[in-house]
Amino acid sequence: MLVMPDIKEHAVILARQFLPYYRFMRTQELTIDSSQGLQTELNSNSIKVLNWNIAKNNFEKFWFQDFFKILRLYQPDIIFLQEVRMGVNVEQIMGFTNMSWAYAPNFIDAHHQTYSGILTAAKISAIAKKVIVTKHHEPVFKTPKVSLITEYSLSHQQQTLLTINSHLINFVDLDKFKAQLHELELAISTHRGSILFAGDFNTWSRKRAVLLEKTVIRLGLKEAHFTPEENKKIKRFLLSPPLDYIFYRGLSEKPATAKVLDEICSSDHKPLLAEFTYIDT
């Protein structure tokens, strides 16, 4: 039996006592971008993906050590990060040499003068970007959640790859969670090419997981296959379903490439890796 809602309720009450709601402000920025990719197209035969909620630790030395290790060993082509911090007056995020990235903040921490948000990086520049901000806000700090849609060219293919990096809303009732999924479904459903849909979905209850599963089925997406041993390493709350996922469509998952980097400890979420190849649909 899950006790997660009670734990979160106590956390919210505690937070109210120490952090004023006006510390966290909505941002007018849609995306902050950097175009450094050296390639003009993604290699259709091998698209390596990293998905990771980094828990705002990207200012910490121990996180950089882990991140550079992942880049060196696995050389991902596309990176989906959630809970990324960025200085308000800084126009660059360290660690993405030779990669283009788009950053979608969902709020500003007025005390520390930092953004918080999600970041998608790739070895090529995106040909299109779209940000979807939730209509509903999480309690206490009144901050929304954000999703970032980016589109990329694929080598020798007329169709493009659409990627969606999402962090789903938490601490709210099921209808508000469902509303965010519905908005994402509408945005994704118009794309006729390949799709990668990844992030932290905050599916800490069975009801949330079922809503996500129904959305994925309607969109014709498949879940990246992690062996039972690897699947156990994915972030959960007690006995809940996993929180982090990689979904795909119009691609083929390369066998035995999906893994969870359990040795990485610079976030309470473990990095997820998978590799795909384009299939002609």
Side-chain angles (χ1 to χ4, degrees):
M1 179 178 177
L2 286 176
V3 295
M4 190 59 204
D6 291 335
I7 293 173
K8 291 190 177 298
E9 182 178 350
H10 290 312
V12 167
I13 293 171
L14 185 65
R16 282 198 184 103
Q17 298 174 2
F18 295 99
L19 296 173
Y21 72 91
Y22 51 82
R23 169 175 162 178
F24 301 98
M25 304 182 298
R26 289 288 302 274
T27 172
Q28 300 303 311
E29 300 279 358
L30 289 179
T31 62
I32 301 168
D33 308 277
S34 175
S35 296
Q36 303 180 79
L38 297 180
Q39 300 173 199
T40 57
E41 297 173 322
L42 287 172
N43 181 357
S44 300
N45 295 320
S46 175
I47 304 171
K48 298 176 183 177
V49 175
L50 165 67
N51 180 45
W52 190 16
N53 181 330
I54 65 173
K56 302 183 181 72
N57 286 325
N58 57 297
F59 285 179
E60 306 295 338
K61 181 179 179 181
F62 61 88
W63 179 84
F64 273 109
Q65 292 172 340
D66 282 344
F67 184 57
F68 287 133
K69 177 182 177 181
I70 294 170
L71 292 182
R72 184 178 71 254
L73 293 179
Y74 300 102
Q75 301 178 17
D77 300 288
I78 300 177
I79 298 172
F80 302 110
L81 300 181
Q82 303 86 44
E83 292 197 28
V84 179
R85 294 173 68 197
M86 180 175 180
V88 171
N89 296 315
V90 177
E91 297 181 355
Q92 180 60 276
I93 295 180
M94 292 179 61
F96 292 95
T97 304
N98 298 330
M99 296 191 84
S100 293
W101 53 264
Y103 178 75
N106 61 321
F107 67 83
I108 297 173
D109 182 334
H111 177 70
H112 292 293
Q113 283 293 290
T114 56
Y115 293 113
S116 179
I118 59 177
L119 183 146
T120 300
K123 291 183 177 178
I124 66 171
S125 297
I127 57 177
K129 295 183 293 291
K130 180 180 180 180
V131 176
I132 300 178
V133 181
T134 57
K135 298 174 182 176
H136 302 106
H137 296 171
E138 293 181 340
V140 183
F141 309 125
K142 308 300 181 185
T143 55
K145 277 291 193 284
V146 63
S147 297
L148 175 60
I149 299 177
T150 48
E151 191 171 355
Y152 300 99
S153 297
L154 289 169
S155 62
H156 311 299
Q157 308 299 333
Q158 292 183 343
Q159 292 185 334
T160 59
L161 171 66
L162 190 77
T163 76
I164 307 93
N165 183 358
S166 286
H167 196 178
L168 265 66
I169 196 165
N170 213 351
F171 312 111
V172 296
D173 61 50
L174 203 60
D175 286 340
K176 294 176 181 177
F177 178 82
K178 186 176 181 179
Q180 184 183 7
L181 277 176
H182 179 66
E183 192 168 13
L184 287 168
E185 183 177 351
L186 289 177
I188 297 170
S189 62
T190 59
H191 185 70
R192 296 292 172 253
S194 302
I195 291 174
L196 284 169
F197 183 20
D200 175 356
F201 293 85
N202 271 318
T203 42
W204 47 262
S205 74
R206 174 51 55 187
K207 289 181 179 180
R208 282 174 166 244
V210 168
L211 285 176
L212 175 62
E213 181 181 8
K214 288 180 177 178
T215 300
V216 165
I217 290 173
R218 286 193 297 269
L219 289 168
L221 301 172
K222 297 179 181 179
E223 181 182 341
H225 176 70
F226 293 88
T227 66
E229 188 65 28
E230 292 295 305
N231 190 272
K232 289 190 301 184
K233 304 172 186 176
I234 301 175
K235 172 74 175 181
R236 288 171 167 80
F237 284 115
L238 301 179
L239 300 177
S240 81
L243 305 187
D244 306 317
Y245 296 89
I246 301 172
F247 300 106
Y248 64 97
R249 189 185 79 189
L251 301 167
S252 177
E253 183 181 357
K254 290 197 172 183
T257 60
K259 62 179 64 180
V260 183
L261 303 184
D262 194 40
E263 73 278 9
I264 299 296
C265 298
S266 54
S267 169
D268 59 332
H269 292 248
K270 302 298 182 181
L272 274 58
L273 291 166
E275 185 177 355
F276 302 90
T277 184
Y278 175 82
I279 55 175
D280 189 356
T281 56

